[in-house]
Amino acid sequence: MARRISRNTLAGLLLAALLAVLGVACSGADRSAPSDCPDDAPTCPASGSPALPSTGPPTAAGRPTDRPAASASPSGKPTATPGAGSASGTPGAKTACASPGDCGFPDARTTGPRIALEPHKTGYMAVRTDGLVIRGWDITGSLDIYANDVTVIDTKITSDNWWGINLRPGFSGLRVLHSTITAVPGKGPDNGGVDYAVSNMGGSSIEVGWCDVSVFGDALSMGQGNLHDNYVHDLVPFINLGGEWQHTNTVISGGGNTGDLIIRHNTLLNPTSLKEGASGSIGLFADTGVVRNVTVDNNWIAGGAYALYGGSTGATGIKVTDNVFSTQYHPASGGYGVVAHWNHGGAGNVWRNNRMSDGRPIEPEPAP
């Protein structure tokens, strides 16, 4: 009996060694990147006609990472999973971190293009082809979208226009994923300034995910949309054509929206000083109508006059949950405080589990 046990043990050791060798081989194969990546693929390992420019600005208000994965629909159209890894039910973010990335929030390592890019000096470019996929371009210029279901993915845009990407009224389905959107300070049309990284002038939702956004005054401007897993930082203040400091916001909505605005798992940094036009990190303003149906969930937020402007009187359906307000620029996150114009009595308004980066809980002050 003892002999049989000894033989079985030896056989087991040999089998384990064989499996280990096979496992290493298989693991190495799994990490091998394909030689290229299909144009319609929303994830990939590392490895239209121009038209006359608009006469004015829109007025609406290569590296693999552990970022949330995108997926492809049965039709092959890119369909990134919005807010993956930060959906309802996941633990709240850690606090007392040295940086957003240390707390699991987006930064330069987890946003922007994942593949090598090809230079394209487009200047102003009007996109008029439904379903167009722009992928792998390093664009010097801007995109003005007069089409449905356009996808900009794994691309860099350096703009000197009023915007980086703009969706025109009457069109829908725009998606901007895994891209860098920036500008050249002093080269924009607004007295040298550049206003919007992504602007939604339409009446439908757009998606902006896993993007690295910088320089613009009002970086992400829209009434409805799905903004997730983005890194918005280094806004550059400027004196606009009106001779005033342009108010700066990482996300801005002017109200009057008919759809939902979701702001989830982003790093939103507004370093603008109070003397140079700082407004908010998130600015929900009732400029063009009542603010409604906005979700602000699990973001790292810092800077602005107030870090969050909450929609003011009449705002309803505003849900602010599980956010970290950082003291990176000001002891109170914003220069004057964390939140202003929060409508305590608004139907469906929720303020829950929001805290400073040192762990202190935050409650909005009662309205006067």
Side-chain angles (χ1 to χ4, degrees):
M1 177 66 74
R3 206 172 200 179
R4 290 171 57 188
I5 293 174
S6 177
R7 288 175 179 172
N8 288 341
T9 302
L10 179 59
L13 290 172
L14 291 172
L15 179 59
L18 178 60
L19 290 174
V21 171
L22 290 174
V24 170
C26 292
S27 177
D30 288 343
R31 287 195 297 267
S32 299
S35 58
D36 58 3
C37 192
D39 286 344
D40 61 352
T43 59
C44 180
S47 73
S49 302
L52 293 175
S54 168
T55 57
T59 57
R63 54 193 181 275
T65 72
D66 57 358
R67 74 188 79 188
S71 59
S73 68
S75 64
K77 182 180 175 63
T79 55
T81 305
S86 58
S88 175
T90 58
K94 297 177 182 178
T95 56
C97 300
S99 69
D102 290 340
C103 264
F105 289 96
D107 61 13
R109 299 170 296 178
T110 58
T111 56
R114 304 156 296 174
I115 60 174
L117 305 180
E118 178 184 348
H120 285 260
K121 293 184 178 180
T122 67
Y124 169 90
M125 178 176 175
V127 175
R128 303 181 185 275
T129 303
D130 288 349
L132 180 66
V133 176
I134 295 175
R135 185 176 181 280
W137 287 20
D138 185 350
I139 295 173
T140 303
S142 62
L143 302 177
D144 204 1
I145 311 299
Y146 292 85
N148 298 309
D149 301 320
V150 172
T151 297
V152 180
I153 186 169
D154 289 316
T155 287
K156 179 180 180 181
I157 295 176
T158 304
S159 174
D160 60 0
N161 203 341
W162 296 95
W163 61 82
I165 304 173
N166 179 46
L167 179 67
R168 290 288 177 169
F171 300 95
S172 63
L174 174 64
R175 304 168 73 238
V176 184
L177 309 173
H178 300 291
S179 294
T180 293
I181 309 168
T182 190
V184 180
K187 299 295 184 181
D190 195 355
N191 199 30
V194 285
D195 290 77
Y196 312 109
V198 181
S199 168
N200 183 5
M201 297 176 68
S204 66
S205 180
I206 70 177
E207 180 183 1
V208 183
W210 305 287
C211 289
D212 184 327
V213 180
S214 62
V215 178
F216 296 88
D218 287 321
L220 303 178
S221 174
M222 61 199 67
Q224 48 268 323
N226 181 8
L227 312 178
H228 64 87
D229 303 288
N230 300 293
Y231 174 45
V232 186
H233 59 102
D234 293 309
L235 304 186
V236 175
F238 61 92
I239 296 175
N240 60 28
L241 289 172
E244 300 175 343
W245 284 106
Q246 176 72 15
H247 289 174
T248 60
N249 301 269
T250 61
V251 178
I252 185 170
S253 174
N257 55 300
T258 57
D260 295 338
L261 176 59
I262 299 171
I263 307 168
R264 175 169 285 134
H265 198 243
N266 304 277
T267 297
L268 305 173
L269 308 178
N270 185 352
T272 309
S273 75
L274 296 175
K275 296 180 179 180
E276 295 178 311
S279 183
S281 279
I282 299 177
L284 308 179
F285 302 114
D287 293 338
T288 58
V290 174
V291 179
R292 58 172 70 89
N293 302 331
V294 180
T295 296
V296 181
D297 176 62
N298 193 24
N299 300 280
W300 178 283
I301 303 168
Y306 286 90
L308 170 67
Y309 285 83
S312 195
T313 303
T316 59
I318 314 300
K319 299 178 177 63
V320 182
T321 57
D322 295 307
N323 297 284
V324 177
F325 289 86
S326 170
T327 60
Q328 178 174 349
Y329 305 119
H330 306 284
S333 193
Y336 298 128
V338 172
V339 56
H341 303 297
W342 174 255
N343 183 17
H344 285 263
N349 290 352
V350 175
W351 182 279
R352 184 179 64 244
N353 197 31
N354 300 294
R355 58 230 184 262
M356 300 296 290
S357 51
D358 59 10
R360 288 175 291 153
I362 304 166
E363 291 295 333
E365 294 182 4

